[in-house]
């Protein structure tokens, strides 16, 4: 049972937009800690996709964007491409645990 | 270019101690802006933070694992290490070492090792 809750799977056709939600609590997202998003392709390590809620590292397309409100956050992917098929994880800081917490991950399937 | 490489046994017997080392190249462990940590991922499951060490030796552990975990750093060797005692099958996972920042907003895990699978089995 992950501290942050994500849908197990989402899907969309090429060119469409999908969103992935991440729900936390008052001790993490709701406590105004940043949400980061990671992309993990099969057999590889996670890679930071968005940091501090909606900031893209160099090389990440602007098709990826994030938002945060209250105790939740979301990742939006516009103009879906086949290469976006991967697992996506949200992550934040939890003041009760005094450390990182992750979502359970969402598998994105591009139809 | 920063690289992190995990090393250690891929098979550990139940009740024994899992020991892994992460070797850092392309950056200094002594950089005050960064922290060094371990994250694990059981097969087919999500990510779990295990713990973090700062170059000073200060450590931060996941409360659910704290009684069994020790993380240490050896800056002279450019390495940091993980020890997890009294392992069970539930500790079978891919173990990642990674570097993260720490700010008022929390932790951001910017660089990861490739991961190493550790299986707990007799």
């Amino acid at each position: 049972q992950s501290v942050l809750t994500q849908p197990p799977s989402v899907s969309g056709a090429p060119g469409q937009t999908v969103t992935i939600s991440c729900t936390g609590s008052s001790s993490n997202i709701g406590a105004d800690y940043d949400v980061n998003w990671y992309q993990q392709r099969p057999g590889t390590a996670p890679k930071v996709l968005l940091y501090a809620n909606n900031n893209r590292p160099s090389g990440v397309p602007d098709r990826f964007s994030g938002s945060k409100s209250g105790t939740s956050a979301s990742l939006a992917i516009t103009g879906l491409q086949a290469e976006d098929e991967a697992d996506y994880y949200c992550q934040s800081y939890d003041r009760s645990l005094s450390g990182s917490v992750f979502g359970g991950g969402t598998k994105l399937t591009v139809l | 270019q920063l690289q992190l490489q995990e090393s250690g046994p891929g098979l550990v017997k139940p009740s024994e101690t899992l020991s892994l080392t992460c070797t850092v190249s392309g950056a200094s462990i002594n950089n005050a802006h960064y922290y060094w940590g371990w994250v694990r991922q059981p097969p087919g499951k999500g990510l779990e933070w295990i713990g973090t060490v700062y170059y000073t030796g200060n450590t931060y552990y996941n409360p659910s694992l704290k009684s069994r975990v020790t993380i240490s750093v050896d800056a002279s060797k450019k390495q940091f290490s993980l020890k997890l005692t009294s392992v069970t099958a539930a500790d079978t996972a891919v173990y990642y070492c990674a570097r993260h920042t720490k700010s008022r907003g929390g932790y951001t895990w910017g660089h990861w090792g490739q991961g190493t699978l550790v299986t707990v089995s007799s």
Side-chain angles (χ1 to χ4, degrees), chain A residues 2 31-34 36 38 40 43-48 51-52 89 91-93 96-105, chain B residues 39 41 44-50 52 60-64 96 100 102-115:
Chain A
S2 300
D32 203 27
Y33 290 109
D34 290 338
N36 305 308
Y38 302 84
Q40 185 180 35
T44 68
K47 178 189 87 166
V48 61
Y51 66 94
Y89 292 89
Q91 173 259 319
S92 187
Y93 182 87
S96 298
L97 301 178
S98 297
S100 276
V101 288
F102 290 89
Chain B
V39 174
Q41 184 172 34
K45 296 188 178 180
L47 302 166
E48 180 182 33
W49 171 65
I50 299 171
T52 285
Y60 312 82
Y61 298 134
N62 187 323
S64 68
Y96 294 100
H100 69 83
K102 183 180 179 186
S103 67
R104 195 211 67 79
Y107 292 2
T108 299
W109 298 80
H111 285 86
W112 299 65
Q114 65 185 27

Side-chain angles (χ1 to χ4, degrees), chain B residues 5 28 32 42 53 65 68 70 73-75 77 81 89 113:
Chain B
Q5 179 66 57
S28 170
V53 65
L65 297 168
R68 299 194 291 131
T70 302
V73 61
D74 186 336
K77 293 183 177 179
S81 300

Side-chain angles (χ1 to χ4, degrees), chain A residues 37-39 47-51 55-57 60-61 64 75 77 88:
Chain A
W37 290 90
Y38 302 84
Q39 179 189 63
K47 178 189 87 166
V48 61
L49 192 66
L50 296 174
Y51 66 94
N55 293 275
R56 291 184 306 277
V60 174
F64 295 90
L75 167 68
I77 309 172
Y88 293 83

Side-chain angles (χ1 to χ4, degrees), chain A residues 9-13 18 80 84-86 88 106-111:
Chain A
S9 63
V10 297
S11 62
V18 296
L80 265 182
D84 298 333
E85 194 160 281
Y88 293 83
T106 298
K107 181 177 181 58
L108 168 62
T109 301
V110 180
L111 302 171

Side-chain angles (χ1 to χ4, degrees), chain B residues 12-80:
Chain B
V12 181
K13 291 182 168 54
S15 79
E16 296 190 342
T17 297
L18 179 160
S19 296
L20 295 175
T21 296
C22 183
T23 300
V24 178
S25 60
S28 170
I29 278 187
N30 289 331
N31 190 318
H33 289 101
Y34 299 109
Y35 293 70
W36 309 88
W38 293 91
V39 174
R40 70 180 182 178
Q41 184 172 34
K45 296 188 178 180
L47 302 166
E48 180 182 33
W49 171 65
I50 299 171
T52 285
V53 65
Y54 193 46
Y55 78 97
T56 57
N58 287 358
T59 52
Y60 312 82
Y61 298 134
N62 187 323
S64 68
L65 297 168
K66 186 174 183 178
S67 63
R68 299 194 291 131
V69 172
T70 302
I71 297 176
S72 58
V73 61
D74 186 336
S76 67
K77 293 183 177 179
K78 303 192 76 172
Q79 294 177 335
F80 60 104

